[in-house]
Amino acid sequence: MPEPGNSPDLMVCLHFLGGSARTWEPVAHRLAGTVRCLALDLPGFGAAAEATGYDVAAMAERVATAIRAARPGRFALAGHSMGAKVALALARRAEDGDPDLVGLSHLVLVAGSPPSPEPIAEDRRRKMLAWIGADPETRARAARAFIRQNVSAPLAPEDEDKATADVLRAAPEAWRAWLESGANEDWAARIGVLRTPALILAGSEDADLGPTGQAALTAPHLAHARTEILDGTGHLLPLERPDAVAAAIAAHLAGAPPQRARTAEIPDSYAALIASDRVNPRLRAALAERARPDDPAYTPAALDPVELALLRAVVARVLPEAGFDIAARLDARLASGVGDGWRFARLPPDADAYRAGLRSLDAAARATGAPFLARDGAGQDALLRAAQEGRLAVPGAAHPRLDPERMVLWFEDVRADAVRTYLSHPATLARLGFSGIGAGGTGTVGADGLARDLPGFVRTGRNDPEPWEPEPPEPAPAHPARREPAEVVR
């Protein structure tokens, strides 16, 4: 895959349910001096109304064929709503080495359908299915109402007419297929975590796929994503705010490549202690392993991407900024099956308990408003405090849930695991001024098999450090880590 910072030659644009390639015309016109846009009709829609193959994989294959024919050097994928789910499937194929998709450099997800089943209310789904096969007059009336329901302010009459005509051009079979099947396809495990730099655009007034849905269901699958919220906008962003959409895309395509993974800084003096003969070689090797930088696109093995994002958010409320990915390290430990040798008898095995606890926390958040990942720090703290005190009201569901009493135990375990992982890193040890690692070494082994001449501590008085002990750094102000807020474009 080309270096992500390189601007693409082409942007392939995919439309929303009921839309067509011409949905992207206002944005493409404004991007004419930035990137060439290739807007495609997905099977069953627009000029491809007679084409079949309505599931996500079939739609992705049709787009891959078009990209192969276009032969771009570098290209971006832009998906709107339904088209975003197809774009995510294509991005996974590209990152897995599909020769037809060599050159993917950027993703743009506009009010995107997430990798997991789309959060659409069942009564609304039933109504949309009911009118698509009705008589022409009913269909025309309902199609116009559909467009109006998906914008926050009326479109210009000519734009509304074109959008309504697109809905009426759609093959009823394709419309039904998406609502009954495609929107419910679960690609979360297959998509995993993508490395391709991504822009998430969301309308502040979009009820189903707005900022809340994007934060909870789409962003966890993207290692390098930036979210922009278009204030006062509904679901049809390319038609409602083409200037803002085009400007955001242009900035995204011109942006610098993602930064490399940050490595928690180990002061030179502490690094010298680790390298000295005062530190046992086995301990030195363990510290070196703990100091390795984390992969920002780490794909979880025990949890799924949304659960990993939930765990990262929980850890960020429990501990100060660590400089390394505690949640990813906890997931790797859970996947390995290696534990600390005990667990609360009322909790299931560790990996199952983590999954159930995280989903219970998010279910409790959703039952009282926004998902956990869409809440600010104070909102997350309130839920965690309720879990800690046995007051978290967890609704029942098909997925395993922990009751309030078991949530107390689970959150205690999570805090202990997170703190243990935090304290095991040499950067944390240096920050705390812990020099006990220098009391080991190898020494010499006598005839009796016992080690002698091991280095240790001589001075034991208060404020009387050994000459070899590194000076601890100045303590940083204590504050909980916070996520960067999404940018709001007005």
Side-chain angles (χ1 to χ4, degrees):
M1 189 170 74
E3 190 67 20
N6 294 337
S7 296
D9 311 307
L10 179 72
M11 185 169 75
V12 179
C13 305
L14 311 177
H15 58 79
F16 71 102
L17 173 68
S20 74
R22 64 183 184 176
T23 301
W24 281 95
E25 287 177 358
V27 173
H29 175 72
R30 289 161 173 80
L31 287 172
T34 301
V35 65
R36 181 169 67 91
C37 293
L38 174 63
L40 301 175
D41 288 310
L42 294 171
F45 301 93
E50 301 302 320
T52 58
Y54 306 137
D55 59 275
V56 173
M59 288 193 283
E61 182 57 34
R62 181 182 177 90
V63 175
T65 299
I67 292 172
R68 181 174 64 244
R71 302 182 65 180
R74 295 181 300 276
F75 69 97
L77 281 170
H80 179 198
S81 192
M82 175 180 74
K85 194 161 192 164
V86 179
L88 288 166
L90 288 161
R92 172 42 61 204
R93 284 176 52 172
E95 292 194 12
D96 287 345
D98 188 323
D100 289 343
L101 300 171
V102 172
L104 176 64
S105 62
H106 296 77
L107 265 175
V108 177
L109 306 172
V110 181
S113 180
S116 54
E118 193 173 304
I120 180 172
E122 283 305 314
D123 61 338
R124 186 174 171 215
R125 191 194 308 267
R126 286 193 298 270
K127 290 176 182 176
M128 292 169 66
L129 287 167
W131 62 257
I132 193 65
D135 61 89
E137 183 180 347
T138 300
R139 283 192 66 194
R141 186 171 57 251
R144 190 170 296 276
F146 172 74
I147 295 300
R148 290 177 176 177
Q149 289 162 3
N150 279 282
V151 296
S152 64
L155 297 176
E158 60 273 21
D159 291 336
E160 183 179 287
D161 289 345
K162 288 171 65 175
T164 301
D166 275 343
V167 174
L168 294 172
R169 281 200 297 169
E173 296 81 7
W175 180 275
R176 293 191 192 98
W178 179 257
L179 290 171
E180 293 175 344
S181 179
N184 288 326
E185 288 187 34
D186 192 347
W187 282 70
R190 282 177 282 182
I191 298 300
V193 179
L194 297 169
R195 298 177 182 276
T196 306
L199 170 67
I200 298 173
L201 291 176
S204 65
E205 307 307 310
D206 188 346
D208 294 326
L209 295 172
T212 295
Q214 299 305 321
L217 299 176
T218 299
H221 292 272
L222 304 166
H224 307 291
R226 184 169 61 88
T227 298
E228 289 193 20
I229 301 168
L230 273 60
D231 202 22
T233 309
H235 187 64
L236 304 186
L237 280 65
L239 299 177
E240 296 178 78
R241 297 280 300 281
D243 286 324
V245 171
I249 291 174
H252 175 56
L253 300 184
Q259 294 183 344
R260 294 181 180 274
R262 284 192 304 116
T263 303
E265 185 176 351
I266 303 172
D268 292 342
S269 58
Y270 204 81
L273 172 60
I274 294 173
S276 74
D277 58 7
R278 301 191 67 89
V279 176
N280 184 277
R282 289 176 59 190
L283 175 58
R284 185 182 304 117
L287 293 172
E289 177 64 26
R290 296 170 193 170
R292 290 178 60 183
D294 298 300
D295 182 356
Y298 171 81
T299 297
L303 307 175
D304 66 28
V306 171
E307 290 162 351
L308 179 63
L310 287 165
L311 183 56
R312 283 178 173 141
V314 170
V315 169
R317 305 312 305 168
V318 170
L319 289 168
E321 173 61 44
F324 55 97
D325 195 342
I326 292 174
R329 294 175 184 223
L330 290 176
D331 174 81
R333 181 184 69 77
L334 292 171
S336 73
V338 176
D340 53 13
W342 77 283
R343 64 180 171 86
F344 288 110
R346 293 198 59 201
L347 291 181
D350 287 350
D352 294 338
Y354 264 77
R355 286 190 289 267
L358 291 165
R359 288 297 181 178
S360 298
L361 181 66
D362 193 44
R366 291 171 184 272
T368 56
F372 189 82
L373 291 172
R375 297 188 176 224
D376 61 16
Q380 292 180 347
D381 286 348
L383 287 161
L384 291 172
R385 195 169 295 112
Q388 182 179 7
E389 297 171 359
R391 299 182 289 102
L392 192 71
V394 181
H399 297 291
R401 297 281 188 262
L402 300 182
D403 58 32
E405 290 76 19
R406 290 191 296 168
M407 283 297 291
V408 173
L409 304 178
W410 172 79
F411 190 40
E412 181 177 330
D413 255 358
V414 171
R415 297 197 308 274
D417 290 345
V419 170
R420 186 182 300 113
T421 304
Y422 176 66
L423 292 175
S424 71
H425 197 285
T428 308
L429 299 177
R431 194 177 302 139
L432 297 175
F434 178 76
S435 51
I437 61 171
T442 54
T444 58
V445 180
D448 55 4
L450 298 177
R452 290 176 172 77
D453 305 321
L454 291 173
F457 289 88
V458 176
R459 299 180 180 178
T460 57
R462 185 178 180 183
N463 296 325
D464 187 21
E466 302 279 355
W468 53 267
E469 290 186 81
E471 282 284 333
E474 289 294 322
H479 64 276
R482 288 177 170 80
R483 300 189 312 275
E484 287 296 319
E487 182 179 347
V488 178
V489 180
R490 302 189 184 278

